[in-house]
Amino acid sequence: MNKISQIIGSSRKVVIKIGSNVLSSDNGTVNNTILHNIVEQANELMKLGKQVIIVSSGAGICGVGAINKWERRGDINYKQALCAIGQVELMMAYKNLFADYDLHVAQLLLTREDFNDNTRTLNIRNTLFTLIDEGVVPIINENDTVSVEEIKIGDNDALSALTANLWNADLLILLSDIDGLYDKDPKTNKDARLIEEIHGTERLNEQIDVRGKSPFGTGGISTKIEAARQVNAYGIPMVLLNGKKAGIILDVMRKKEAGTVFLGK
Ligand code: ADP
């Protein structure tokens, strides 16, 4: 059995982070087929006895789809307004899709600062544990209205790592629009080579080219490497998979070879 399938198969508490690219169609609106497929996979994982927390980007894209304007506005206040509008749409989509499986969803909007405050982290933890115990699917996003940096540098990768650590997850899965970590950006380099296993992230930024990012993406590959570093420090593995491929998590769990796994040293 390959390592990733073994890790997914044996993990009970799983955080799944969905990048904006995964959720966006070529025209910049939300891709409902993919969203539906990810919800279907989360439900399957839960049926197998796993507990799932979702960290979802995509509010901005949903905002553009909802009001069909401002997408070219660079001003931060318009970006935040789009996220505020789109977050409702995004949650409505999740709510309706999970309802097909008789599952409820809950929204948590967090900022990095929330994780630096003991009382707040306790409250987040208590809420998460209660929701999970009751079989509700927590869906977390950055609170864009109050976190300007998020929009500038985009960091739901970090948010998902913080969540995985706070919840003592067994596994963090990042769904992006690439098949894993390559030695250089696969979008611009045809000869880019997939790296299947990473042991320790210390010198990775020096070894691989990390500069590219996709049109609707925010963090690029370096925030993913940093997320791996953060969770690996707590003994949690991270898996990077192509969320645009239908059924990818389940396929990999059932032995399909794909993705990159980041393990501690
Ligand atoms: P997301 O919305 O999923 O967070 P991002 O656009 O922020 O996605 O980051 C993923 C992108 O990073 C990929 O689409 C790819 O073009 C780019 N990238 C740059 N360097 C690499 C690399 N070495 N390996 C894989 N992807 C890379």
Side-chain angles (χ1 to χ4, degrees):
M1 192 186 277
N2 75 52
K3 194 159 265 163
I4 305 187
S5 85
Q6 197 186 342
I7 288 172
I8 299 178
S10 63
S11 296
R12 183 155 171 267
K13 298 167 75 177
V14 184
V15 175
I16 302 174
K17 183 258 171 176
I18 304 161
S20 349
N21 285 308
V22 176
L23 293 184
S24 57
S25 312
D26 292 342
N27 64 3
T29 57
V30 82
N31 186 328
N32 284 311
T33 312
I34 286 180
L35 193 59
H36 181 264
N37 181 259
I38 291 170
V39 168
E40 204 177 348
Q41 292 187 74
N43 176 58
E44 283 299 319
L45 293 174
M46 289 170 75
K47 281 203 323 209
L48 291 171
K50 300 184 191 302
Q51 300 175 332
V52 174
I53 292 179
I54 290 178
V55 176
S56 182
S57 306
I61 292 159
C62 287
V64 170
I67 64 168
N68 201 19
K69 55 184 181 185
W70 302 344
E71 67 264 40
R72 291 188 206 290
R73 299 285 304 237
D75 347 17
I76 196 80
N77 51 318
Y78 275 90
K79 287 190 173 178
Q80 286 169 316
L82 273 180
C83 289
I85 293 164
Q87 181 64 25
V88 181
E89 305 287 325
L90 185 65
M91 286 309 297
M92 211 152 68
Y94 277 116
K95 178 187 180 306
N96 291 335
L97 290 168
F98 273 108
D100 287 344
Y101 305 103
D102 289 326
L103 291 168
H104 289 284
V105 297
Q107 170 185 267
L108 282 81
L109 293 177
L110 303 173
T111 63
R112 199 191 280 266
E113 294 76 55
D114 293 329
F115 289 88
N116 295 333
D117 179 294
N118 287 343
T119 312
R120 290 187 191 192
T121 47
L122 185 65
N123 287 326
I124 298 166
R125 198 195 302 265
N126 288 343
T127 308
L128 283 177
F129 276 94
T130 306
L131 290 168
I132 298 274
D133 280 352
E134 296 297 332
V136 176
V137 185
I139 300 180
I140 302 180
N141 197 1
E142 182 109 13
N143 190 344
D144 295 308
T145 310
V146 295
S147 43
V148 175
E149 283 305 305
E150 151 66 10
I151 291 178
K152 268 203 255 161
I153 58 166
D155 224 349
N156 265 359
D157 295 323
L159 181 61
S160 64
L162 288 165
T163 303
N165 286 345
L166 181 81
W167 185 45
N168 299 328
D170 298 318
L171 171 64
L172 170 61
I173 299 177
L174 297 192
L175 296 180
S176 189
D177 66 341
I178 20 114
D179 288 335
L181 178 73
Y182 288 78
D183 58 348
K184 44 195 158 184
D185 189 346
K187 297 255 182 71
T188 45
N189 299 279
K190 285 220 159 57
D191 61 338
R193 205 175 42 85
L194 179 76
I195 308 170
E196 286 155 16
E197 248 178 67
I198 305 288
H199 293 268
T201 53
E202 283 72 29
R203 301 198 44 239
L204 262 185
N205 280 349
E206 297 161 28
Q207 291 160 2
I208 60 166
D209 188 349
V210 298
R211 283 167 301 186
K213 66 177 184 181
S214 36
F216 304 106
T218 33
I221 204 71
S222 34
T223 54
K224 293 169 186 36
I225 293 171
E226 177 57 20
R229 199 179 66 76
Q230 296 288 344
V231 294
N232 285 174
Y234 283 80
I236 304 170
M238 187 187 98
V239 170
L240 176 59
L241 296 175
N242 191 338
K244 291 225 174 219
K245 295 194 169 159
I248 188 73
I249 302 175
L250 301 173
D251 284 351
V252 170
M253 188 177 69
R254 294 172 189 141
K255 302 194 183 95
K256 180 188 163 90
E257 300 222 350
T260 299
V261 61
F262 296 77
L263 301 156
K265 270 178 262 170

